[in-house]
Structures are given as C-alpha cells and as structure tokens.
Amino acid sequence: MVSTDSQTRRASTDGAPTSEAGPLLEVDGLTTSFMTDRGLVRGVDDISFSISPGETLGVVGESGSGKSVTALSIMRLIREPPGRIAGTIRYRGQNLLDLSPAEMMKVRGKEIAMIFQEPMTSLNPVFTIGEQIAEVVRLHEGLGKKDAMDKAVEMLRVVRTPSPEHRVKEYPHLLSGGMRQRVMLAIALSCNPKLLIADEPTTALDVTIQAQILDLLNELKAKFGMAVMLITHDMGVVAETAQRVMVMYAAQVIEEAPVRELFATPLHPYTQGLLRSIPRRHHPAGAKPRRLDQIPGTVPGLKEHTPLGCRFAPRCTLAQPSHLTSTPALKEVRPGHKVACFLDG
C-alpha cells in the first residue's frame, strides 16, 4: 500500500485538464440491474459522473461497492439478460447505449480500452503475447499480419518490456505478474484510445512492481494524451495518480471531490473511515503511533440493498434513526465537492 505521505509528492497530477473543453465521458443515472432467482438486484444504482479529456478519475470503495460493474457497463460488457443497463453513457456526445453491437465493437478497444483486474485470466493461454496484441491492431487498424506483429513489438517496447522481439513469441504463463500487466497495457494502448479504464491494475503485485506500473501508467497517459478511469480500493494509489476522486458504497456514489480536497477534508463518514485506515510512515514529533482504525461491519451484498435509507447507516457511528428510512441525495456542498450525507446537509 502507498503511504498518504506521498500524496503531495506528485501534486502535478492535481491540476485540471487543459485539453479540449467539455467532458469526454458523461454518465447520467446509470443503473445496472440483474435478474436473479430472488428477484431484481442492482449492481449500480442511479449514479452520475463525468470524465474530462486528459483527466484521471479515481473510483474507490470496498469490494462489492459497484466499481467494476460501472466499468463493465461503460464498455457494455454486461450480458443482457440477465443484466440490464439503464440511463445514459455519453462518449463525445454519443449515447453508447444507443449503438448496435457492431457499432459498439468499433468503440471498444479503439476509443475506450480497459485493463481488467487479473491479467492471467484476461490473456488467452493458447495464443502468444504477440498474437494477442496483433489481433487488436488488425481488427481496428486494418494492418496486415506482419505489420500488426511489428506493431506488437513496438507496443511492448513502449510499455518497457525487455527483449520485446522475443516476448512476442512467449505465452502468458511464462511471464511474471508485472510483465503480464505490461502486456495488458500494450493491448489496451495499441489503438491509441482516448479513455482507458484500469480496473485494479496493481492488484496482487508487490509494492515495487506496483509503483513501476503506476509510474508507467502516468507516463503513458501523458504520452498518449488520454483520460483514465482508475478503479481501486487503495486510497494511496489514488493519492499518487488521480486528479479527482469518486467514492462508491453499496452501488451508489457517496462522495466526489478533487483529490487534494478529499484527502484534506473528507465529508462522508465512510470516506473518513477509509482514510483513517491507511498506514502512515511518519508521525508528528513526540506523538505515539496510532492504531489503524477500522470501519465496523461489511458492505451489504446486492440482495441486501434497501430502496430507502442511507446504506452506510448500519455501519455509521453517527447515524440517527431517521437515516435508516430517508435517502440522502448527492449534492454539491462546495465547488466541485459533492456528498450524499445528512450530516453535511
């Protein structure tokens, strides 16, 4: 885990994007539900947000909060049925939910790319690394077999893979976790997408390799001029990488703010609990190291979401009885800072 002491070390990522005006991606009222044997459940429940060109939006929350379902909904990788996506997902003004499957195929990988949580399960074990990168290039760029393989070597070099000419001939199981994640980056960036969705890109990597991947991601973001939606449960990763943070809990957005403001003055009790749970390397002179705090309880499962009431109330030490029956709206309480909490109303 990356210490919060590093949140000021890369403050340059805290500036607003300076590229073209207007949002690149606008999500409005996104609700993704699934029909199960026990009825309809919502993996994402009426969320709205936007991403500007060149911006990194960090999406944080515990497992089960709806982060990955949000990403899969944007990519339209939710199988319908049993899933159903409602609301609007506008990319450059075009609602992706209005596109046919063939039209969406042209967007997916070319305009919007995604890195999935576990590269070993995302890469095909029976094809070489080079074949898997070349396949994407042939599909979207129309290159021939030799040119596509040359592009695969080039992309492996871009993501700093040693001996790329030899790596293209290897299979995924021969690579380390860090190398497989670099391959996923090469595949995702091979067609120069304008938006990269990175779902837990440093999961299961040791701290040293994690830092290398984050540095590479920042470098490639600048090189390709793309926006990034970074999904993680690690607040330290967000502190080092994002300009803006969206906190999710139980399928809903409960706070959104510029990264420095969120770390300095978190407003939602859940966000405050997440920040208190981060280890610190340094303490004020004379102060005793404090114990890590923990948030009592667990994130409710999809089938436990209630239509009314604050979903965090059962775990919140500040909750009042009325919070169990009334739902707080997400509202802007400061410029650029939104929160869904009765305590900040």
Side-chain angles (χ1 to χ4, degrees):
M1 180 178 289
V2 184
S3 168
T4 51
D5 297 326
S6 62
Q7 68 191 38
T8 58
R9 184 157 46 87
R10 298 186 186 178
S12 60
T13 63
D14 206 28
T18 58
S19 51
E20 61 185 275
L24 179 69
L25 181 77
E26 289 182 282
V27 175
D28 186 18
L30 175 63
T31 298
T32 303
S33 47
F34 301 90
M35 181 57 68
T36 70
D37 294 339
R38 297 178 58 182
L40 195 69
V41 298
R42 292 183 173 183
V44 172
D45 192 0
D46 192 22
I47 70 171
S48 300
F49 64 94
S50 65
I51 302 176
S52 299
E55 177 185 41
T56 296
L57 172 69
V59 183
V60 300
E62 295 170 270
S63 297
S65 60
K67 306 184 303 295
S68 294
V69 175
T70 299
L72 293 173
S73 300
I74 293 171
M75 297 295 289
R76 281 188 52 187
L77 292 175
I78 300 293
R79 181 173 296 178
E80 302 185 53
R84 181 177 180 273
I85 306 173
T88 58
I89 305 171
R90 292 188 180 89
Y91 173 76
R92 290 182 163 181
Q94 171 68 58
N95 186 5
L96 299 181
L97 299 183
D98 290 338
L99 300 183
S100 67
E103 291 171 330
M104 188 62 202
M105 280 285 290
K106 296 179 181 179
V107 174
R108 192 186 300 125
K110 172 66 174 176
E111 295 287 335
I112 307 175
M114 183 170 176
I115 303 173
F116 296 90
Q117 282 192 35
E118 176 46 61
M120 194 59 197
T121 58
S122 301
L123 293 170
N124 193 319
V126 301
F127 290 100
T128 65
I129 296 304
E131 289 171 329
Q132 295 185 60
I133 301 174
E135 179 185 15
V136 177
V137 177
R138 289 198 302 267
L139 176 64
H140 291 292
E141 303 292 338
L143 298 183
K145 187 174 181 179
K146 182 181 183 303
D147 289 339
M149 192 58 70
D150 289 342
K151 182 64 179 288
V153 173
E154 177 190 342
M155 291 308 302
L156 287 178
R157 186 174 290 112
V158 166
V159 298
R160 300 181 188 169
T161 303
S163 305
E165 297 84 358
H166 296 93
R167 293 293 185 184
V168 290
K169 303 173 185 178
E170 294 184 341
Y171 291 88
H173 72 275
L174 297 174
L175 305 182
S176 66
M179 283 297 177
R180 287 196 294 265
Q181 197 59 279
R182 291 172 190 267
V183 171
M184 291 298 296
L185 269 171
I187 293 174
L189 301 179
S190 59
C191 296
N192 193 18
K194 296 297 180 288
L195 173 62
L196 174 67
I197 300 175
D199 190 357
E200 300 279 8
T202 57
T203 294
L205 301 179
D206 64 49
V207 175
T208 302
I209 302 301
Q210 179 186 103
Q212 292 176 5
I213 294 297
L214 291 175
D215 286 341
L216 181 59
L217 187 60
N218 279 330
E219 178 185 316
L220 295 175
K221 172 195 168 184
K223 178 182 178 68
F224 287 89
M226 62 186 177
V228 177
M229 178 177 172
L230 177 65
I231 298 171
T232 181
H233 62 274
D234 190 331
M235 296 295 284
V237 169
V238 169
E240 290 210 4
T241 309
Q243 288 90 53
R244 196 158 47 89
V245 190
M246 183 172 78
V247 183
M248 295 190 68
Y249 182 81
Q252 296 178 330
V253 176
I254 53 105
E255 189 163 4
E256 180 183 337
V259 64
R260 281 188 172 180
E261 182 168 343
L262 187 98
F263 275 79
T265 55
L267 299 179
H268 199 284
Y270 177 65
T271 310
Q272 295 167 2
L274 288 179
L275 293 175
R276 286 196 300 267
S277 69
I278 300 176
R280 296 180 183 272
R281 291 182 298 179
H282 306 292
H283 301 273
K288 293 182 179 180
R290 64 173 177 81
R291 293 179 59 87
L292 292 180
D293 291 340
Q294 63 179 1
I295 304 173
T298 58
V299 178
L302 294 181
K303 297 175 183 178
E304 299 170 324
H305 292 174
T306 56
L308 294 177
C310 172
R311 293 180 181 176
F312 185 64
R315 303 175 67 186
C316 182
T317 57
L318 303 174
Q320 302 297 317
S322 61
H323 298 174
L324 297 170
T325 56
S326 299
T327 304
L330 182 69
K331 57 185 178 181
E332 191 170 42
V333 294
R334 300 174 185 170
H337 197 153
K338 303 176 183 178
V339 65
C341 182
F342 293 114
L343 302 175
D344 291 284

